Amino acid sequence: MLKRTIKKVAVLGSGVMGSSIACHFAGIGLQVLLLDMPPKELSGPEKKKGVSLLDKAVRNRIVNDALTTALKSNPSPVFTKDVAKNITTGNFEDNMKEIATCDWTIEVVVERLDVKKLIFDQVEKFRKPGTLITSNTSGIPIHLMAEGRSDDFKKHFCGTHFFNPPRYLRLLETIPTKDTDADVVEFLLHYGDLYLGKTTVLCKDTPAFIANRIGVFSILSIFHIMDHLGLGVDEIDALTGPVIGRPKSATFRTADVVGIDTLVKVALGVKENCPGDESKEVFTIPGWLQKMVDNQWLGDKTGQGFFKKMPPNAKGDKEIRTLSLSTFEYEARQKPKFATLDAAKPIDTLKQRLQVLAAGQDKAGEFYRSFHYSLFSYISHRIPEISDELYRIDDAMKAGFGWEMGPFESWDV
């Protein structure tokens, strides 16, 4: 393998993901160049000061504000605040030429192919031949972004899909095209593991790659089974959290954190772009989910989704209420009771617990059987479409969605 050293990285796009990725690289001691658009008009405070759109501070306002927001966010994208000094900010018009000094350029702009192509036109102009160029897209086919590029660009181009937040979620999906040099793929898998602290998973260039394809199927499948069995939001979150080796955020809290619009976008993308998917009807959006999107109840980003934090009551207590999908009112949270859950909770090992849950004779047991059987069928049909190896699917779900046990491991149990 060609000896390659990474000393400086350019991150193009300073949104939530771009800023967090920049912070993650800065945190391992690299120099980072973080770029974004210059603003098209002055803000209110800038107008009062009488500054010009040509003023350097104004031209870097978008990127500087985004980085400041990232550094204040919780959980923090950096281990210590002082690593921010490793990040230099700039804008696409004044500073793109500086990517010539970088060993790796990562594109993290808006999810639109036309915008990405314009950025790559600039990258082609300024990058040093032989340097790495990758995209953090979660949905656009990698080969479409490489179309029309120079041979050197194509050889060194790959998808590197970080999961949000990059410092905490361990998955890094690596998605080569047919033109990507094998040494580049090997380097990225090794570097992500050794230096970025990631579980690096090699993916094929298929819609939603591995983790989102399986993870969003899993969530949509739960939505449909819930409707069929007449279960509610609090009941599903009690059934799909730590008791089955999944994060505390379970199903609906996870959807609120990720963003309900994002979830819907990935689901519709798979339905449209995977005509051969035998379960594509599962990616149909339930009526109540579409109504939430129409209402702009998109989760944490809009202040309400499946859950809503209510204003403090007379005693100053803050209450979180749950959305009833039948009335569309926010109601007091319920503590669900299922005999199957009561039987499983005292069991320490997940393997034994899953066996008890799947054997339950109440509605909870029925849910676990329906959910797991649909998941096992789905993953079996995804080999070799999205991966040639079973273990990569398990690795991706554990590292990207925080599952304690991968779906094939669960199937063995």
Side-chain angles (χ1 to χ4, degrees):
M1 185 167 76
L2 180 73
K3 183 135 176 62
R4 185 183 289 278
T5 306
I6 305 293
K7 291 181 179 170
K8 187 174 179 183
V9 173
V11 178
L12 310 181
S14 68
V16 172
M17 281 305 286
S19 292
S20 305
I21 290 169
C23 287
H24 194 62
F25 277 95
I28 66 164
L30 299 188
Q31 293 302 307
V32 180
L33 175 67
L34 178 63
L35 306 181
D36 212 316
M37 299 282 292
K40 292 198 166 44
E41 54 189 40
L42 294 170
S43 68
E46 287 165 347
K47 282 177 186 169
K48 278 184 187 165
K49 284 183 193 167
V51 294
S52 153
L53 266 175
L54 299 175
D55 186 271
K56 187 180 174 185
V58 174
R59 287 180 73 71
N60 292 345
R61 167 169 41 90
I62 291 173
V63 65
N64 289 336
D65 286 355
L67 181 58
T68 301
T69 301
L71 290 166
K72 286 180 182 166
S73 65
N74 185 22
S76 175
V78 291
F79 187 64
T80 54
K81 287 279 189 270
D82 66 328
V83 302
K85 70 179 186 298
N86 292 341
I87 303 174
T88 306
T89 56
N91 67 77
F92 294 149
E93 290 176 13
D94 303 330
N95 308 99
M96 193 66 109
K97 58 185 180 293
E98 291 168 34
I99 69 169
T101 64
C102 298
D103 307 297
W104 181 355
T105 300
I106 306 174
E107 171 275 310
V108 202
V109 300
V110 65
E111 286 284 75
R112 276 178 46 190
L113 184 58
D114 58 337
V115 177
K116 290 181 187 292
K117 287 199 162 191
L118 289 172
I119 292 293
F120 290 139
D121 288 343
Q122 294 293 303
V123 172
E124 279 266 43
K125 203 183 290 183
F126 297 115
R127 71 177 266 275
K128 193 167 60 188
T131 56
L132 300 173
I133 165 77
T134 69
S135 171
N136 183 63
T137 183
S138 58
I140 295 174
I142 306 301
H143 67 273
L144 292 182
M145 290 187 269
E147 276 178 6
R149 297 286 154 215
S150 67
D151 287 348
D152 187 79
F153 186 107
K154 287 179 180 175
K155 268 173 58 175
H156 296 92
F157 181 64
C158 199
T160 47
H161 181 214
F162 289 81
F163 273 58
N164 190 24
R167 186 182 154 206
Y168 300 90
L169 281 183
R170 291 183 63 100
L171 182 59
L172 176 58
E173 292 182 318
T174 302
I175 314 103
T177 71
K178 64 178 176 50
D179 298 312
T180 311
D181 198 307
D183 275 353
V184 167
V185 180
E186 191 182 336
F187 175 82
L188 288 168
L189 291 168
H190 173 73
Y191 190 91
D193 173 29
L194 191 63
Y195 293 96
L196 297 173
K198 297 292 174 192
T199 296
T200 52
V201 174
L202 181 65
C203 301
K204 294 188 179 184
D205 191 7
T206 55
F209 312 130
I210 293 179
N212 279 338
R213 180 79 176 270
I214 305 300
V216 173
F217 168 84
S218 172
I219 292 171
L220 267 292
S221 174
I222 286 170
F223 290 172
H224 293 298
I225 294 165
M226 174 184 87
D227 284 349
H228 176 68
L229 294 178
L231 294 165
V233 169
D234 286 326
E235 288 173 313
I236 291 294
D237 271 9
L239 294 171
T240 58
V243 72
I244 59 166
R246 304 285 165 82
K248 276 196 307 217
S249 55
T251 300
F252 288 101
R253 182 75 195 101
T254 297
D256 272 2
V257 171
V258 168
I260 290 155
D261 53 337
T262 304
L263 184 66
V264 166
K265 194 173 160 191
V266 175
L268 292 175
V270 172
K271 193 175 180 193
E272 284 165 28
N273 298 310
C274 299
D277 188 317
E278 77 298 332
S279 298
K280 65 175 182 286
E281 288 313 308
V282 171
F283 292 92
T284 303
I285 305 305
W288 49 262
L289 189 60
Q290 187 57 53
K291 188 173 175 183
M292 291 179 73
V293 174
D294 296 342
N295 286 356
Q296 289 290 296
W297 296 358
L298 305 178
D300 289 6
K301 67 173 88 172
T302 58
Q304 68 189 95
F306 293 108
F307 300 98
K308 184 178 182 180
K309 200 179 278 184
M310 307 307 287
N313 61 18
K315 292 181 186 170
D317 298 329
K318 289 179 184 172
E319 183 193 5
I320 293 174
R321 291 194 180 174
T322 305
L323 182 67
S324 161
L325 300 179
S326 54
T327 66
F328 258 65
E329 300 289 329
Y330 286 93
E331 299 174 352
R333 297 181 80 168
Q334 305 296 316
K335 202 159 173 52
K337 286 290 286 176
F338 293 105
T340 295
L341 278 188
D342 293 340
K345 275 186 174 160
I347 300 169
D348 283 340
T349 69
L350 179 57
K351 288 183 177 183
Q352 289 173 299
R353 214 163 47 236
L354 280 179
Q355 289 169 345
V356 169
L357 294 171
Q361 293 306 300
D362 56 0
K363 203 178 264 194
E366 196 179 338
F367 167 79
Y368 285 123
R369 287 188 292 278
S370 296
F371 167 63
H372 281 104
Y373 298 164
S374 68
L375 176 64
F376 300 157
S377 168
Y378 197 68
I379 55 174
S380 69
H381 283 97
R382 302 287 72 78
I383 303 288
E385 181 198 346
I386 65 174
S387 174
D388 292 325
E389 296 88 10
L390 309 185
Y391 76 88
R392 295 195 198 278
I393 289 180
D394 278 7
D395 283 354
M397 296 319 297
K398 290 191 284 188
F401 277 76
W403 293 11
E404 198 177 315
M405 197 182 278
F408 283 104
E409 286 176 272
S410 305
W411 195 348
D412 276 349
V413 168

